[in-house]
Amino acid sequence: MEARESGGPRPTIADVAEAAGVARSTVSRAMNREHRFYRSPSAARIRAVAESLGYEPNPTAANLRRQQTNTIGVLVSRLTDTVMAMLFEEIAAASAARGYHALVATTYDDPALERESGLAMLASRVDGLILTTATTEGGLCTELVERGIPHVLALRSYGESPSVVGDDALGGYLATRHLMDLGHRRIGLVAGPDHASTAISRREGYRQALREAGIAEPPGLVYPSTFSMESGEAAAEAFLASADRPTAVFAVNDNTAFGFTSVIQRAGLGIPTDVSIVGYNDIPLVARLPVPLTSVRVPFADIANAAVDALMDSIQGRPARAPHRVLAPTLIPRASTARPAVLTEVRP
């Protein structure tokens, strides 16, 4: 790429990365005088490429590195979601243990509000951001990478942004495998939204377990959801209307499992006698339900601590210990899952 002509578009960090043949995060480190990579021959070459293009580093990103306030911003979809509330509390505790204060803003899954809230936090001089709101479209995290602003994604992942997530594909596999080990072969899925890496990976784990058993994904038994109880209720209505119902259902999170269960029980069916169900996240309420819910436990405390550590590294200009960390979940069996009734009846 040639240097821009007077009046032309301003080169971005992405332009420098493409011309230098490196990642945008590498360009960011090469431009940061406080980072030890700055003094390397590779960094000097990258700066030469940037100069030839007429690239000028964003002053806001530089200010964030030099003038720390010991505060971080945390973006969540909504605090009425128990998972988001739990994760923020863990992030706040991990931040406090490291001498930082965590601020939170809700985005309601609105990309425009996510950007507005994130930029408002940066304007108030937070040292960096932790986002739980990343989507397959990238959104704000793409801009943060381009501007070299310290940030980490938690629970969800996207592109070059550093991330700390649970192994959702493994979790989906464990949930489905548990049902198959009980003898279920017709297993439905309350799937999450296609914009969330968590939902996509959990569905892939579900499919992997079916493939390993030589079972085709059952048509008409994958019910869409938005992670909400209401969408779980809608999935249960579709289940009840089915002429050939599954004997078990894996719900992409505990909220959808709650909604699904409530409709099933109001219809006079029993759990697990008529249908077994597995949730995901293992929030505290699930063990205290009248029929305790089998769920996949996500290590929220570990994710929060690792995300805060990764953000501290970025703020201090230290190389990332692991740009993308994946932590294993655990299946917690409870009373909501059992052998299919038809197998129980013929059992010797």
Side-chain angles (χ1 to χ4, degrees), residues 36-318:
R36 63 184 181 183
F37 178 67
Y38 180 89
R39 294 180 291 277
S40 70
S42 297
R45 181 186 70 82
I46 293 169
R47 288 194 298 275
V49 172
E51 184 177 356
S52 72
L53 295 177
Y55 170 75
E56 298 176 0
N58 186 285
T60 301
N63 284 340
L64 280 169
R65 288 189 288 269
R66 289 195 295 267
Q67 301 178 18
Q68 296 179 15
T69 61
N70 281 24
T71 59
I72 65 171
V74 183
L75 296 180
V76 302
S77 55
R78 50 183 58 80
L79 285 172
T80 52
D81 184 328
T82 305
V83 168
M84 294 293 101
M86 288 172 58
L87 184 63
F88 174 69
E89 287 187 357
E90 296 288 359
I91 290 173
S95 300
R98 294 157 179 79
Y100 276 73
H101 181 63
L103 308 176
V104 66
T106 53
T107 68
Y108 302 100
D109 292 318
D110 181 342
L113 184 55
E114 176 194 55
R115 184 175 187 274
E116 178 184 330
S117 299
L119 296 183
M121 283 185 159
L122 293 173
S124 68
R125 310 302 291 245
V126 298
D127 294 339
L129 295 173
I130 294 179
L131 296 81
T132 69
T133 52
T135 69
T136 53
E137 298 300 320
L140 177 61
C141 58
T142 301
E143 185 173 345
L144 297 177
V145 169
E146 291 177 349
R147 294 174 58 183
I149 293 174
H151 70 288
V152 175
L153 309 185
L155 294 185
R156 299 181 187 177
S157 61
Y158 177 81
E160 295 177 16
S161 291
S163 61
V164 183
V165 301
D167 191 336
D168 291 297
L170 174 60
Y173 176 88
L174 292 175
T176 310
R177 185 74 252 178
H178 168 69
L179 293 170
M180 294 172 61
D181 288 344
L182 289 171
H184 296 276
R185 291 297 179 268
R186 189 166 172 78
I187 302 170
L189 173 70
V190 182
D194 291 337
H195 66 251
S197 63
T198 47
I200 294 170
S201 295
R202 290 169 197 175
R203 181 168 181 170
E204 180 50 40
Y206 162 81
R207 288 171 165 168
Q208 180 186 349
L210 293 180
R211 285 196 301 268
E212 286 186 3
I215 301 173
E217 183 175 325
L221 297 187
V222 175
Y223 314 108
S225 86
T226 59
F227 289 139
S228 68
M229 284 186 278
E230 292 79 7
S231 57
E233 291 172 343
E237 296 291 352
F239 166 89
L240 292 172
S242 174
D244 189 10
R245 298 171 183 166
T247 61
V249 170
F250 164 41
V252 75
N253 72 350
D254 292 333
N255 275 347
T256 55
F258 294 160
F260 188 94
T261 298
S262 66
V263 169
I264 294 301
Q265 291 177 324
R266 288 199 301 269
L269 299 182
I271 295 173
T273 51
D274 292 303
V275 59
S276 288
I277 184 163
V278 179
Y280 204 105
N281 289 319
D282 197 46
I283 63 176
L285 177 62
V286 303
R288 296 167 174 81
L289 295 172
V291 179
L293 180 69
T294 296
S295 189
V296 177
R297 178 174 295 168
V298 175
F300 292 114
D302 293 339
I303 289 173
N305 275 281
V308 172
D309 280 342
L311 186 59
M312 298 298 104
D313 287 343
S314 182
I315 290 170
Q316 300 300 328
R318 295 189 293 263

